[in-house]
Amino acid sequence: MGMRHKDENKSEAIFQATVQLLNEIGFSDISMSKIARRANVSSATIYVYFANKEDMLGKLYIKAKEKMGRQAVEGLLDSMSMQAVCERYMRNSMKFILDNPDYFMFLEQFATSPLMDKLCLEDIALLFAPLHELMEKGKRQGELKPLATLLLLAYCYLPVAQLAKAHFKGQLEATEELLQQIIRMSWDAVRA
Amino acid sequence: MGMRHKDENKSEAIFQATVQLLNEIGFSDISMSKIARRANVSSATIYVYFANKEDMLGKLYIKAKEKMGRQAVEGLLDSMSMQAVCERYMRNSMKFILDNPDYFMFLEQFATSPLMDKLCLEDIALLFAPLHELMEKGKRQGELKPLATLLLLAYCYLPVAQLAKAHFKGQLEATEELLQQIIRMSWDAVRA
Amino acid sequence: MGMRHKDENKSEAIFQATVQLLNEIGFSDISMSKIARRANVSSATIYVYFANKEDMLGKLYIKAKEKMGRQAVEGLLDSMSMQAVCERYMRNSMKFILDNPDYFMFLEQFATSPLMDKLCLEDIALLFAPLHELMEKGKRQGELKPLATLLLLAYCYLPVAQLAKAHFKGQLEATEELLQQIIRMSWDAVRA
Amino acid sequence: MGMRHKDENKSEAIFQATVQLLNEIGFSDISMSKIARRANVSSATIYVYFANKEDMLGKLYIKAKEKMGRQAVEGLLDSMSMQAVCERYMRNSMKFILDNPDYFMFLEQFATSPLMDKLCLEDIALLFAPLHELMEKGKRQGELKPLATLLLLAYCYLPVAQLAKAHFKGQLEATEELLQQIIRMSWDAVRA
DNA sequence: AATGAATGAGGATTCATTCAT
DNA sequence: TATGAATGAATCCTCATTCAT
């Protein structure tokens, strides 16, 4: 008789249910029992996988952020020009967001909440390390403005997020043309 | 036919308590009773001023957003160059944020929540109308890139917000020098 | 400067609102504030006319019961035969009920509640005294069965109430013919 | 894949507590927390068994009504004379009421409340079906007056209820003699 | 007389979590 | 592992009532 394994599907179902509900009703109204109902498990089952609510939300954030991070830095090569790096990073980000709107909206909500402060984000920082190093190199080589990388990346990421949000709200459409325009603008902002 | 007059301080105390708590413990953990305790009123008193929790948060958002909006567009003149307009708008925004960190963090949290969708923001749109018109003129006159104003403004506002958040987290300091740098970058992004 | 009088309309409006609400939402859900809202007065105004909720409900019961009682015994004469007395009492009762369904339903609800036990009903007993005396005389003269008047009257009143309730529920129609039939049945029950 | 089993005693304790309290303090004053306290369970436990207060009261009503109905029609046989049927029905009813005064008073209170209208009473109608059929037969065979069964039964049941209520209030005693008298009167009323 | 403001107490219900199986 | 039952604490909100005018 083999040992019993945690059912990976169950933990995944719990994650999915949480992300969905967060987007539907928001942080202030989700509850463990609503999540359990949506995931088709018992409330008690959630505690098989997570210590408590905060633990669950934190792990979900990290999971989502990692997924996003992995896609965001995909295909970034040392051999690329800085302009190509920025473009690739922006296109990667936009693709992830349009493919995973629920994850994105969840990340946005969570990122502004005080729960963020209790999280250990070292692993995520590692994920973005290659991008950071590229930017540092770009600054050293005089291709980028000599500014905190945090801000350089903000000029690349935030317009993408803003365009996506406007897209989801129906205010404008995230066309390839618009994407090209903001890629150009961001580059104008960060280039030396 | 006398009556007791509404104590303007009470409604203000409720707002203040809410903003403080939102920043301390976040959307998911504020409750009407915690707010009441912090504001030194009875829970029931809150319902003299607001229909329910959602109504209260919504009105608080509008109040805060209006306060911010009014400051953000202050001093914007038709006679200004577009570069001056952008700079003024960014400086105004940064000043408001640094002067009212609680309001700012509350606005950030609320803006990402589903509660946003239920709000009527017409009055706020009016506040920003002068800025929008200036941007439209700038586009017509070829000073700005011909792009949705929503995105042009994003390039001005979001870096300011990002810098402020990093400042509050202690990641870097919001110096005049840094502010000048992002003003320059934003202008590079939006100029024609 | 004349002295100020209590506004009789106000107290009447409060009564009306209470009776209506009792029928719409029932004993367990009425509240002073709902009554006030329905009556278009302030909650505090109710306390100008009544000591508290219990006092108000009690006074309303007595008022309604008196109104019903006065109509129920109307036209009862010493000279009438017992059969005529019973018929008149039943017809009077039916007319009151059909004319004042709200009052009737309120009386029914209140009568089964423990609040009844705290009421002083002497004045109402006085109202019904003539009817009781007639029944006593009928028993002495051998026209009625020698039974507690309470029960004799039950055989006259309860079928009327039952028919009315069935009528209000749409189960059957309170026609003159049906009324005649139960008048006949009740008389068969109580006659010696 | 085990679980804790529902404790049948719990749901019964909740019912008992509700019936008791309804009689002591009435519809307008019972609350879920008072019921829970009386039943020695947590308020939250009630919601394990019932969807909400209305659901609980409704189910309790049906339970009580069924219990009464089952006893009321006990021993009614096709072979009986109509007079025997009426007598048996009245005696059955009186016995139930005297044995279960709390249930009876609860039924009386609930029956006059607007909550009644939301109930599905089909199962209860089934219980009384045999009695209804007997009465129909009685009418066809000319033993009973040709009148809506609803009213015929009213003449049998209501005097019993009235006598019981007077008995509980101490106004008169529900002796075998008195019972015999109203059985006679009701028969006089309904016989052809 | 009349009333809007104010409130402590309590309303129904849901919460996150634990227990027993 | 998985879960229905169970619960004390907390939720939002309304209650009956009083106060100040």
Side-chain angles (χ1 to χ4, degrees), chain B residues 87-136:
Chain B
E87 173 163 358
R88 180 78 191 225
Y89 171 54
M90 290 177 74
R91 286 189 180 279
N92 281 346
S93 296
M94 181 59 92
K95 181 164 168 35
F96 174 86
I97 293 172
L98 294 179
D99 287 347
N100 307 276
D102 278 356
Y103 269 140
F104 170 66
M105 296 305 284
F106 163 66
L107 288 171
E108 288 280 310
Q109 278 194 69
F110 193 97
T112 60
S113 88
L115 292 179
M116 270 300 287
D117 303 336
K118 301 183 181 170
L119 249 45
C120 173
L121 301 177
E122 285 183 20
D123 292 346
I124 287 169
L126 281 180
L127 258 179
F128 283 95
L131 177 55
H132 276 257
E133 278 163 30
L134 282 173
M135 303 293 276
E136 296 297 337

Side-chain angles (χ1 to χ4, degrees), chain C residues 71-129:
Chain C
Q71 272 193 235
V73 301
E74 195 187 53
L76 297 187
L77 303 176
D78 233 30
S79 54
M80 282 176 167
S81 71
M82 277 325 294
Q83 188 171 7
V85 164
C86 288
E87 174 163 0
R88 181 77 192 225
Y89 171 55
M90 290 177 75
R91 286 190 180 278
N92 281 346
S93 297
M94 181 58 93
K95 181 163 170 34
F96 174 85
I97 293 172
L98 294 179
D99 288 348
N100 306 277
D102 277 358
Y103 270 139
F104 170 66
M105 297 304 285
F106 162 65
L107 288 170
E108 289 277 309
Q109 277 194 70
F110 194 97
T112 61
S113 88
L115 293 179
M116 271 299 287
D117 304 336
K118 302 184 181 171
L119 249 46
C120 173
L121 301 177
E122 286 182 18
D123 292 346
I124 286 170
L126 281 179
L127 257 179
F128 283 95

Side-chain angles (χ1 to χ4, degrees), chain B residues 100-180:
Chain B
N100 307 276
D102 278 356
Y103 269 140
F104 170 66
M105 296 305 284
F106 163 66
L107 288 171
E108 288 280 310
Q109 278 194 69
F110 193 97
T112 60
S113 88
L115 292 179
M116 270 300 287
D117 303 336
K118 301 183 181 170
L119 249 45
C120 173
L121 301 177
E122 285 183 20
D123 292 346
I124 287 169
L126 281 180
L127 258 179
F128 283 95
L131 177 55
H132 276 257
E133 278 163 30
L134 282 173
M135 303 293 276
E136 296 297 337
K137 193 186 69 174
K139 283 189 274 184
R140 277 197 309 276
Q141 298 182 340
E143 291 183 78
L144 297 175
K145 292 201 177 80
L147 196 73
T149 301
L150 178 71
L151 290 174
L152 293 178
L153 288 177
Y155 273 95
C156 294
Y157 175 73
L158 295 179
V160 168
Q162 181 70 18
L163 173 52
K165 279 192 264 188
H167 173 81
F168 293 140
K169 282 189 186 170
Q171 296 170 324
L172 44 79
E173 203 185 346
T175 59
E176 164 62 22
E177 194 191 341
L178 259 183
L179 180 56
Q180 277 174 19

Side-chain angles (χ1 to χ4, degrees), chain C residues 4-7 42 44-45 49:
Chain C
R4 287 197 258 172
H5 289 291
K6 281 188 189 177
D7 185 342
S42 161
T45 304
Y49 295 89

Side-chain angles (χ1 to χ4, degrees), chain A residues 39-111:
Chain A
N40 269 316
V41 298
S42 161
S43 294
T45 302
I46 301 182
Y47 292 86
V48 172
Y49 295 89
F50 306 101
N52 52 43
K53 193 183 182 184
E54 190 177 323
D55 176 55
M56 191 199 70
L57 289 172
K59 286 195 171 127
L60 175 51
Y61 176 79
I62 286 175
K63 178 189 160 87
K65 189 78 181 176
E66 276 180 348
K67 188 172 177 180
M68 185 183 204
R70 236 183 310 273
Q71 272 192 236
V73 302
E74 195 187 54
L76 296 187
L77 302 176
D78 232 30
S79 55
M80 284 177 166
S81 72
M82 279 325 295
Q83 187 172 6
V85 165
C86 289
E87 173 163 358
R88 181 76 191 225
Y89 172 54
M90 290 177 74
R91 285 190 181 279
N92 281 346
S93 296
M94 180 59 93
K95 181 163 170 33
F96 173 86
I97 293 172
L98 293 180
D99 288 348
N100 307 276
D102 278 356
Y103 270 139
F104 170 66
M105 297 304 285
F106 162 66
L107 288 171
E108 289 278 308
Q109 277 194 71
F110 194 98

